[in-house]
Amino acid sequence: MKKMKWTLSTVFILVSIFFVALNMRPAVTAIGPLFNVLMDSLQVTNMQMSLLTSIPVFCMGLFAPFAVPMQKKIGTKKAISVLVLLIVLANGARFLKESYFLLVCTSFLVGLAIAIIGPLMNAFIKERFPQHVASVIGLYSFGIGTGATLSAGFTVTMYQQTDANWAFALGSWSILAAIAVVIWVIAVPNDEVITDATQVKVNENARNPWRHKKAWLILLFFGLQTSLFFSIMAWLTPMLQDKGLSLVSASTVLTVLSIVQMVGNIAIPLLMEKWQSRISWLFSLSVLGIIGFVLLWIGTGAIIWLAVLIIGVVLSGMFPIALMLPLDESRTAEEASSWSSMVLSGGFMMSAIIPLLIGYCYDITANHHFTYAIFIALIIAILGTTVALKKQT
């Protein structure tokens, strides 16, 4: 593998990728730390609160197929610029009013933007860094993990520092998105956009992922691991509060989980440069995941911290692998975009169901036994999908 050529423009592009990635989760994951606060303030049910996670995740799946036509129409640079600006506006709108309806609407807009950014960024990385996909995907997933960590760690702090103003705590994430727009526009030159002539040439030989069994298995894996991520980010704080932890203590545990994911998002892809078998990684992470969620279910005190560390490692490894798998199978930037669109589309739509299911079960039972069982079932399903993927190699 060739070494990356470290020019100033290359570094600036990598920085811009990182800043865009920072904004791929806070609008969604900032809800989790304030879950009970929002539920009490807005007088809504657990299932209604779960919609604030499920709606953007469902939109991430519903609108992902629009990535390819949008890329063809206005190019990657302009498309991502417009979509990150939409995140700025959606987050900024949350400053206006403490309203459940407003949260639902802004969650929809954020989900739409993130849906299209994902495949576009995957294709951009595949085209711009073809010899270093794993490393740059690691940087990208590190940025996503960092954004989730920031939202988990600082949302409650901003809430407390603004006299319990949760609208300000949620809306303030628009500032981070505004910074990302500026850096992306400056860093990425116009000649990085795929031209129409290139698109036509590539389209002639592009494979349709919807006709490939392996693409469907990758989609299933992506959906299962994303279900784990969004569900744990939305429900860990209330789950720990049910175990007797305070809001601050529970949000601290969530922050630690996010920090572990953030570090793992960059460390594990770098390790994959040396140990490249995706299947071996998935087997190991799946077994660890079962152990982690069982410990979280039965544990108290220090056991909870151990469980969270294990789960953080598992989630941090599965996400970059989920991004890499469709890129591994694609031969061109066009295929990278279409395969990623399919995987992200179906996977995110699948993962929108689980937070709702957890909320429904909790409203009925008033305990989280079903929640833990659902998490373990997801891990077992990931293990089964890994076995199926191995048979396809």
Side-chain angles (χ1 to χ4, degrees):
M1 182 179 292
K2 297 179 181 178
K3 291 184 178 180
M4 189 177 297
K5 189 176 180 180
W6 292 102
T7 64
L8 183 60
S9 62
T10 296
V11 172
F12 205 10
I13 289 172
L14 291 172
V15 170
S16 72
I17 291 172
F18 176 76
F19 269 87
V20 170
L22 282 177
N23 292 279
M24 297 288 279
R25 293 295 179 266
V28 183
T29 53
I31 299 294
L34 297 178
F35 192 99
N36 288 335
V37 170
L38 292 170
M39 189 167 64
D40 292 340
S41 173
L42 298 169
Q43 294 296 298
V44 294
T45 65
N46 285 279
M47 189 170 181
Q48 286 175 303
M49 279 301 302
S50 297
L51 279 171
L52 298 179
T53 298
S54 292
I55 286 174
V57 175
F58 183 79
C59 289
M60 289 178 201
L62 182 64
F63 294 106
F66 288 87
V68 173
M70 191 170 185
Q71 182 186 42
K72 293 177 183 178
K73 186 72 175 177
I74 64 174
T76 303
K77 178 182 177 177
K78 288 182 181 178
I80 291 179
S81 301
V82 169
L83 293 165
V84 179
L85 183 59
L86 183 58
I87 295 176
V88 175
L89 297 175
N91 278 332
R94 293 178 172 182
F95 279 118
L96 301 177
K97 186 180 179 182
E98 294 187 353
S99 163
Y100 178 74
F101 178 73
L102 182 62
L103 287 179
V104 169
C105 292
T106 54
S107 295
F108 175 88
L109 293 175
V110 166
L112 185 155
I114 295 172
I116 304 175
I117 290 172
L120 288 176
M121 189 62 79
N122 281 358
F124 178 79
I125 291 170
K126 178 80 173 182
E127 181 197 26
R128 184 64 177 78
F129 303 98
Q131 301 298 321
H132 306 279
V133 169
S135 298
V136 182
I137 285 290
L139 174 69
Y140 177 56
S141 58
F142 175 66
I144 292 175
T146 303
T149 301
L150 292 173
S151 64
F154 289 104
T155 300
V156 170
T157 301
M158 287 186 285
Y159 168 75
Q160 293 174 327
Q161 295 298 317
T162 54
D163 296 324
N165 186 339
W166 60 256
F168 182 89
L170 297 180
S172 59
W173 294 107
S174 61
I175 298 170
L176 184 64
I179 294 171
V181 172
V182 173
I183 295 175
W184 175 262
V185 170
I186 295 173
V188 179
N190 291 329
D191 60 3
E192 295 295 339
V193 175
I194 301 174
T195 64
D196 289 339
T198 303
Q199 291 285 2
V200 171
K201 181 179 179 181
V202 170
N203 278 333
E204 293 176 356
N205 298 313
R207 296 171 299 160
N208 185 350
W210 297 97
R211 297 177 181 176
H212 285 256
K213 182 178 179 180
K214 193 166 186 179
W216 283 97
L217 289 173
I218 295 171
L219 183 158
L220 178 60
F221 165 66
F222 187 90
L224 292 169
Q225 66 84 28
T226 307
S227 296
L228 274 177
F229 171 79
F230 283 110
S231 297
I232 199 70
M233 294 302 290
W235 283 99
L236 182 61
T237 298
M239 285 163 65
L240 294 178
Q241 286 181 285
D242 269 16
K243 282 179 174 281
L245 276 69
S246 67
L247 172 62
V248 173
S249 297
S251 64
T252 300
V253 176
L254 179 62
T255 302
V256 171
L257 172 70
S258 300
I259 291 172
V260 174
Q261 288 185 74
M262 177 183 70
V263 175
N265 282 156
I266 189 68
I268 291 180
L270 290 176
L271 291 173
M272 285 182 190
E273 296 281 3
K274 184 173 183 180
W275 296 286
Q276 298 182 358
S277 173
R278 315 290 195 231
I279 299 301
S280 297
W281 278 100
L282 288 180
F283 273 121
S284 302
L285 292 169
S286 297
V287 172
L288 272 178
I290 293 172
I291 295 170
F293 280 108
V294 169
L295 290 176
L296 185 63
W297 190 350
I298 66 175
T300 58
I303 300 298
I304 291 176
W305 290 99
L306 176 61
V308 165
L309 290 174
I310 293 172
I311 292 168
V313 171
V314 171
L315 294 177
S316 71
M318 286 186 175
F319 180 65
I321 293 174
L323 293 179
M324 289 178 201
L325 287 175
L327 299 185
D328 289 343
E329 294 300 316
S330 61
R331 299 175 297 194
T332 63
E334 173 72 4
E335 283 194 1
S337 184
S338 61
W339 280 64
S340 294
S341 294
M342 175 197 170
V343 169
L344 270 62
S345 176
F348 278 129
M349 291 178 78
M350 279 178 52
S351 59
I353 299 169
I354 302 302
L356 279 178
L357 177 62
I358 292 172
Y360 175 75
C361 290
Y362 188 76
D363 280 334
I364 292 175
T365 63
N367 66 66
H368 279 295
H369 294 309
F370 273 104
T371 307
Y372 294 111
I374 288 169
F375 284 138
I376 293 171
L378 287 171
I379 286 287
I380 293 172
I382 287 174
L383 189 58
T385 305
T386 302
V387 173
L389 280 169
K390 182 174 176 58
K391 292 179 180 178
Q392 291 293 310
T393 56

